[in-house]
Amino acid sequence: MNTLSYILRDIAVVAVAYLVGSVPFSYIFAKVMTGVDITKVGSKNMGATNVLRAAGPVPAMFAFAGDFLKSALLLVALERFIPNIPQDTVLVAAVVVVLGHDFSILVGFKGGKGVATTFGVVVVLSWPVALVESGIWLLAMVLRNTVSLASVAVFATLPVVALLLRQPLQLVLIYSLLAVLGIVRHAANIRRLRAGQEPKLDRSCFRRR
């Protein structure tokens, strides 16, 4: 391949990553399975937590799985099916797929907050970091029962955990970008947390059909 071919390949990879990230699984599963438009109810966020509250646990499970798998499978496919793809291109795609989720072209550049999609990235790129972050999320939920707080805790500790586990510097930088993006997307939640107004997870949501 010549230089132009490499450039066109990388542009195509980034475009595909954005489009894959843009698929709004939370909206799709809530609408198809229950008829609920999650952009008009609850927090109006296109994420699994709002699906859980507005449509119930089964659509929420599918929404989380869809948002997780779209990033995880994308990265696996890039590494497996594109010969000699540079790691830098994969890392850029990892950021872009989350950007696609957060700012989906398919729904007017709206989207979720990137928790499940970022988790899919971390699982593929460094599963030990994903394992530690899962523990942090669960601990925060046990202590405070607040999804947004647990999610912010995961984003805030992501680059730190990567450093402690001696991940490559490039990966730490990518995780830092994703951490900043995730925290910014949770800005309204953080304001409510500081004011003591952020709702806790209502476990009765899990009993809905």
Side-chain angles (χ1 to χ4, degrees):
M1 293 176 66
N2 55 37
T3 302
L4 179 59
S5 297
Y6 284 120
I7 292 172
L8 293 175
R9 178 203 60 192
D10 289 350
I11 291 173
V13 166
V14 169
V16 169
Y18 178 75
L19 291 174
V20 169
S22 291
V23 180
F25 284 111
S26 293
Y27 175 85
I28 292 170
F29 284 118
K31 189 71 173 178
V32 170
M33 298 178 74
T34 66
V36 173
D37 183 347
I38 60 167
T39 65
K40 297 179 180 178
V41 298
S43 66
K44 301 180 182 179
N45 179 62
M46 280 186 283
T49 301
N50 195 35
V51 177
L52 174 64
R53 289 169 172 155
V58 176
M61 177 183 66
F62 279 99
F64 182 91
D67 289 341
F68 168 82
L69 289 172
K70 67 185 177 184
S71 59
L73 293 181
L74 171 75
L75 297 184
V76 170
L78 291 179
E79 294 181 336
R80 181 165 297 184
F81 298 116
I82 300 182
N84 303 316
I85 187 170
Q87 184 67 6
D88 288 349
T89 302
V90 174
L91 294 179
V92 170
V95 174
V96 172
V97 72
V98 178
L99 285 171
H101 173 81
D102 290 355
F103 307 100
S104 171
I105 193 173
L106 301 178
V107 284
F109 296 100
K110 298 177 182 178
K113 297 176 181 177
V115 178
T117 308
T118 299
F119 186 56
V121 167
V122 179
V123 166
V124 173
L125 296 181
S126 49
W127 67 265
V129 175
L131 188 61
V132 173
E133 292 297 338
S134 297
I136 291 172
W137 191 90
L138 288 171
L139 178 62
M141 284 300 297
V142 168
L143 294 177
R144 297 298 297 272
N145 193 37
T146 308
V147 175
S148 60
L149 178 61
S151 299
V152 170
V154 166
F155 280 119
T157 58
L158 181 55
V160 177
V161 171
L163 273 174
L164 292 175
L165 294 183
R166 300 183 179 181
Q167 299 299 298
L169 181 58
Q170 283 180 308
L171 204 51
V172 175
L173 292 175
I174 291 299
Y175 287 167
S176 297
L177 287 174
L178 292 176
V180 170
L181 178 61
I183 290 170
V184 168
R185 295 291 290 170
H186 280 84
N189 303 89
I190 293 171
R191 288 194 293 269
R192 289 193 296 269
L193 285 166
R194 295 182 65 182
Q197 298 173 346
E198 182 73 350
K200 295 184 181 296
L201 180 64
D202 183 358
R203 300 185 187 278
S204 67
C205 293
F206 292 100
R207 295 192 290 271
R208 294 184 57 181
R209 294 185 179 181

mmCIF file of all heavy atoms in Angstrom, residues 5 68 77 82 106 108 131 151 157 162 184 188 191 194 200:
data_model
loop_
_atom_site.group_PDB
_atom_site.id
_atom_site.type_symbol
_atom_site.label_atom_id
_atom_site.label_comp_id
_atom_site.label_asym_id
_atom_site.label_seq_id
_atom_site.Cartn_x
_atom_site.Cartn_y
_atom_site.Cartn_z
ATOM 1 N N SER A 5 -3.084 5.256 0.200
ATOM 2 C CA SER A 5 -3.926 4.118 0.579
ATOM 3 C C SER A 5 -4.037 4.008 2.094
ATOM 4 O O SER A 5 -5.115 3.739 2.640
ATOM 5 C CB SER A 5 -3.356 2.825 -0.003
ATOM 6 O OG SER A 5 -3.366 2.859 -1.414
ATOM 7 N N PHE A 68 -22.194 -1.735 24.735
ATOM 8 C CA PHE A 68 -20.913 -2.358 25.067
ATOM 9 C C PHE A 68 -20.315 -3.063 23.846
ATOM 10 O O PHE A 68 -19.141 -2.878 23.501
ATOM 11 C CB PHE A 68 -21.107 -3.359 26.211
ATOM 12 C CG PHE A 68 -19.926 -4.257 26.453
ATOM 13 C CD1 PHE A 68 -18.848 -3.832 27.203
ATOM 14 C CD2 PHE A 68 -19.896 -5.537 25.916
ATOM 15 C CE1 PHE A 68 -17.750 -4.664 27.417
ATOM 16 C CE2 PHE A 68 -18.813 -6.380 26.123
ATOM 17 C CZ PHE A 68 -17.737 -5.936 26.881
ATOM 18 N N ALA A 77 -12.679 -6.453 15.557
ATOM 19 C CA ALA A 77 -12.718 -6.592 14.108
ATOM 20 C C ALA A 77 -11.561 -5.846 13.441
ATOM 21 O O ALA A 77 -10.951 -6.348 12.491
ATOM 22 C CB ALA A 77 -14.054 -6.077 13.568
ATOM 23 N N ILE A 82 -8.091 -6.326 9.659
ATOM 24 C CA ILE A 82 -7.316 -5.360 8.864
ATOM 25 C C ILE A 82 -5.840 -5.637 9.109
ATOM 26 O O ILE A 82 -5.314 -5.344 10.184
ATOM 27 C CB ILE A 82 -7.661 -3.907 9.233
ATOM 28 C CG1 ILE A 82 -9.148 -3.637 8.980
ATOM 29 C CG2 ILE A 82 -6.799 -2.941 8.416
ATOM 30 C CD1 ILE A 82 -9.569 -2.223 9.261
ATOM 31 N N LEU A 106 -27.204 10.048 14.030
ATOM 32 C CA LEU A 106 -28.501 9.457 13.706
ATOM 33 C C LEU A 106 -29.639 10.049 14.524
ATOM 34 O O LEU A 106 -30.810 9.871 14.178
ATOM 35 C CB LEU A 106 -28.443 7.938 13.927
ATOM 36 C CG LEU A 106 -27.385 7.191 13.107
ATOM 37 C CD1 LEU A 106 -27.392 5.703 13.449
ATOM 38 C CD2 LEU A 106 -27.609 7.402 11.611
ATOM 39 N N GLY A 108 -29.576 13.490 15.784
ATOM 40 C CA GLY A 108 -29.337 14.923 15.954
ATOM 41 C C GLY A 108 -28.165 15.258 16.842
ATOM 42 O O GLY A 108 -28.191 16.266 17.557
ATOM 43 N N LEU A 131 -11.337 -5.010 34.756
ATOM 44 C CA LEU A 131 -11.693 -5.789 35.947
ATOM 45 C C LEU A 131 -11.645 -4.921 37.196
ATOM 46 O O LEU A 131 -12.572 -4.950 38.031
ATOM 47 C CB LEU A 131 -10.733 -6.972 36.087
ATOM 48 C CG LEU A 131 -11.069 -8.004 37.161
ATOM 49 C CD1 LEU A 131 -12.421 -8.644 36.886
ATOM 50 C CD2 LEU A 131 -9.975 -9.074 37.231
ATOM 51 N N SER A 151 -20.457 5.810 38.061
ATOM 52 C CA SER A 151 -19.910 6.020 36.721
ATOM 53 C C SER A 151 -18.823 7.086 36.727
ATOM 54 O O SER A 151 -17.769 6.924 36.092
ATOM 55 C CB SER A 151 -21.029 6.422 35.760
ATOM 56 O OG SER A 151 -22.016 5.402 35.678
ATOM 57 N N THR A 157 -11.084 7.426 37.843
ATOM 58 C CA THR A 157 -9.975 6.539 38.212
ATOM 59 C C THR A 157 -9.386 5.786 37.026
ATOM 60 O O THR A 157 -8.351 5.132 37.177
ATOM 61 C CB THR A 157 -10.445 5.514 39.260
ATOM 62 O OG1 THR A 157 -11.551 4.765 38.738
ATOM 63 C CG2 THR A 157 -10.862 6.200 40.554
ATOM 64 N N ALA A 162 -4.939 2.593 35.017
ATOM 65 C CA ALA A 162 -4.082 2.200 33.889
ATOM 66 C C ALA A 162 -2.613 2.437 34.216
ATOM 67 O O ALA A 162 -1.751 1.605 33.903
ATOM 68 C CB ALA A 162 -4.492 2.966 32.636
ATOM 69 N N VAL A 184 -17.329 15.103 31.643
ATOM 70 C CA VAL A 184 -18.048 16.250 31.069
ATOM 71 C C VAL A 184 -19.489 15.873 30.751
ATOM 72 O O VAL A 184 -20.421 16.652 31.000
ATOM 73 C CB VAL A 184 -17.328 16.755 29.798
ATOM 74 C CG1 VAL A 184 -18.208 17.746 29.030
ATOM 75 C CG2 VAL A 184 -16.006 17.408 30.166
ATOM 76 N N ALA A 188 -24.125 17.537 34.542
ATOM 77 C CA ALA A 188 -25.394 17.823 35.231
ATOM 78 C C ALA A 188 -25.565 16.911 36.437
ATOM 79 O O ALA A 188 -26.051 17.346 37.493
ATOM 80 C CB ALA A 188 -26.557 17.652 34.257
ATOM 81 N N ARG A 191 -23.433 18.200 39.286
ATOM 82 C CA ARG A 191 -24.059 19.343 39.966
ATOM 83 C C ARG A 191 -25.139 18.870 40.926
ATOM 84 O O ARG A 191 -25.254 19.379 42.056
ATOM 85 C CB ARG A 191 -24.641 20.309 38.932
ATOM 86 C CG ARG A 191 -23.586 21.101 38.163
ATOM 87 C CD ARG A 191 -24.219 22.260 37.406
ATOM 88 N NE ARG A 191 -25.080 21.789 36.334
ATOM 89 C CZ ARG A 191 -24.666 21.576 35.086
ATOM 90 N NH1 ARG A 191 -23.397 21.759 34.766
ATOM 91 N NH2 ARG A 191 -25.519 21.170 34.155
ATOM 92 N N ARG A 194 -23.553 17.267 44.040
ATOM 93 C CA ARG A 194 -23.034 18.271 44.972
ATOM 94 C C ARG A 194 -24.162 18.933 45.748
ATOM 95 O O ARG A 194 -23.986 19.327 46.907
ATOM 96 C CB ARG A 194 -22.220 19.309 44.217
ATOM 97 C CG ARG A 194 -20.951 18.751 43.583
ATOM 98 C CD ARG A 194 -20.151 19.822 42.879
ATOM 99 N NE ARG A 194 -19.656 20.815 43.819
ATOM 100 C CZ ARG A 194 -18.949 21.880 43.457
ATOM 101 N NH1 ARG A 194 -18.674 22.088 42.175
ATOM 102 N NH2 ARG A 194 -18.529 22.728 44.364
ATOM 103 N N LYS A 200 -31.154 8.208 43.734
ATOM 104 C CA LYS A 200 -30.520 6.901 43.862
ATOM 105 C C LYS A 200 -31.261 5.898 42.984
ATOM 106 O O LYS A 200 -32.365 6.172 42.518
ATOM 107 C CB LYS A 200 -30.525 6.453 45.320
ATOM 108 C CG LYS A 200 -29.688 7.343 46.237
ATOM 109 C CD LYS A 200 -29.657 6.805 47.648
ATOM 110 C CE LYS A 200 -28.844 7.710 48.561
ATOM 111 N NZ LYS A 200 -27.428 7.772 48.175
#
